[in-house]
Amino acid sequence: MTIARVDRRAPRSPARPREAGTPVPADGSALRRHRRRRSRLTALAFLAPLALYLAAFYVYPLYRNLDLSLRDYTVRSFVAGDAPFSGLDNFRTVLDDPTFGPAMRHTMIFTFVSIAFQYAAGLALAVFFNRHFRLAGTLRALFLIPWLLPLIVSASTWSWMLNSESGVVNYALHTVGVAPVNWLNSPHWALTSVIIANIWIGIPFNLVILYSGLQNIPGELYEAASLDGASAWQQFRRITFPLLRPVSAITLLLGLVYTLKVFDLIWIMTKGGPSDASSTLATWSYQLGFGSLLPKFGPGAAVGNILILIALVFGLLYIRVQKRQEA
């Protein structure tokens, strides 16, 4: 006996004829691909101005600086563009130069002493202003003035203040019975003078960054520590300083990169002298490339690349330390 199979599916309604001008519905996967493509094109359109800016003002100058350091450029070949390839000869010339050792030492002293005092003073001021007392905002704004002033103005002001004959610093020392100091003209004090000026300029930057980091620390932690009898120093050592570690790391890294390349402050105040007593890699690179009638473009560019390499090494160390802390 044969059993007839009953089709329980609902009968299809007859297809309605498509009206003229009605678009055909697109396939779902094709529509998703179209949206992804449009999203990528939009993202590229927003990134294009930034990419062009980085290529024009960072990538190309770095390439040209590297090319300068690997060729034997003279004034004629610099204009004509036919300098012969010399490999690492410019770097050997720089490393064998008797100025390299003192310039490297001055750069390290200038950088690390400036960063240490800038960070310590900025952190102390950030903790002080975090108490939210009356006129705290006004005083904090006044501390930003050194950071907002053009660097040429700050350097010229410090040059006047530290002048050996008419400077206000020596006048203040004279009033308390201290002999005047040749701040800018003495080989023993020239580097100290530019360090003092650089510390004064960099404190506001550390204050702003560290103060913003303090705002992200929950106040309940301090309240709980107070209830447990913790002193102000214990709260700073156990709460403030550990929780500020990520902000402190980026502050120190940015300060390091900025201080390594400081040129205008030193050049305006001492021009790297006297007798190269305050010369750094940045000022020496400028002197080689532009400081004489017969510029040494190749060695000057080589010194600049050494500075870039030092900053890159510290940047990679910072990234490695951050990954270890996040792990």
Side-chain angles (χ1 to χ4, degrees):
M1 185 174 70
T2 305
I3 301 176
R5 299 179 63 182
V6 181
D7 190 359
R8 299 181 180 274
R9 290 178 299 178
R12 294 182 178 180
S13 57
R16 297 175 60 183
R18 185 171 60 88
E19 299 179 3
T22 304
V24 179
D27 182 68
S29 59
L31 182 60
R32 286 193 295 270
R33 286 196 299 271
H34 173 71
R35 288 177 177 175
R36 284 197 297 267
R37 190 180 306 112
R38 187 172 60 182
S39 177
R40 285 196 294 268
L41 291 175
T42 304
L44 290 175
F46 278 104
L47 289 175
L50 176 61
L52 291 175
Y53 173 81
L54 293 176
F57 296 100
Y58 287 90
V59 178
Y60 180 71
L62 286 174
Y63 162 74
R64 286 294 297 151
N65 198 65
L66 182 62
D67 181 70
L68 281 171
S69 65
L70 298 177
R71 295 183 182 274
D72 185 15
Y73 272 97
T74 62
V75 176
R76 188 200 64 80
S77 61
F78 186 82
V79 176
D82 57 350
F85 183 78
S86 60
L88 299 177
D89 289 347
N90 289 321
F91 289 91
R92 296 189 188 98
T93 301
V94 166
L95 295 177
D96 293 337
D97 195 298
T99 309
F100 177 77
M104 175 64 78
R105 184 172 64 254
H106 297 158
T107 301
M108 295 298 104
I109 294 174
F110 177 81
T111 301
F112 289 108
V113 173
S114 295
I115 290 176
F117 280 92
Q118 287 172 356
Y119 177 79
L123 180 59
L125 289 171
V127 173
F128 175 73
F129 285 118
N130 196 41
R131 299 178 180 179
H132 303 291
F133 57 91
R134 189 177 181 182
L135 297 179
T138 304
L139 292 176
R140 193 167 63 248
L142 291 176
F143 270 99
L144 295 179
I145 292 178
W147 193 31
L148 299 177
L149 287 175
L151 201 53
I152 188 173
V153 175
S154 300
S156 301
T157 302
W158 275 99
S159 297
W160 169 75
M161 292 173 60
L162 297 176
N163 187 277
S164 302
E165 299 178 357
S166 59
V168 65
V169 175
N170 274 347
Y171 178 78
L173 293 177
H174 175 72
T175 57
V176 295
V178 179
V181 178
N182 292 324
W183 295 100
L184 304 178
N185 302 322
S186 170
H188 303 290
W189 288 101
L191 185 61
T192 302
S193 302
V194 295
I195 289 176
I196 292 173
N198 191 61
I199 291 173
W200 179 79
I201 293 172
I203 287 175
F205 172 77
N206 288 260
L207 167 61
V208 170
I209 303 299
L210 295 174
Y211 179 79
S212 64
L214 288 176
Q215 300 303 299
N216 295 324
I217 300 178
E220 293 81 4
L221 297 177
Y222 294 104
E223 295 177 1
S226 299
L227 293 176
D228 290 338
S231 63
W233 169 247
Q234 290 174 330
Q235 293 179 25
F236 174 80
R237 188 163 60 91
R238 301 285 186 176
I239 299 175
T240 304
F241 194 73
L243 294 181
L244 270 182
R245 192 170 298 162
V247 180
S248 298
I250 191 63
T251 303
L252 293 173
L253 176 64
L254 292 176
L256 173 71
V257 173
Y258 171 79
T259 310
L260 276 174
K261 64 182 183 63
V262 169
F263 160 75
D264 34 15
L265 175 71
I266 301 174
W267 190 257
I268 293 171
M269 292 184 65
T270 64
K271 289 185 170 58
S275 302
D276 294 330
S278 59
S279 177
T280 62
L281 292 178
T283 59
W284 188 36
S285 176
Y286 178 83
Q287 287 175 334
L288 289 172
F290 306 98
S292 65
L293 296 177
L294 295 176
K296 301 177 181 179
F297 296 115
V303 175
N305 285 327
I306 292 174
L307 262 179
I308 294 173
L309 183 61
I310 294 173
L312 180 63
V313 168
F314 281 106
L316 293 176
L317 287 176
Y318 164 76
I319 294 174
R320 186 173 182 179
V321 171
Q322 284 295 100
K323 286 184 178 180
R324 286 186 176 181
Q325 291 180 352
E326 294 173 358

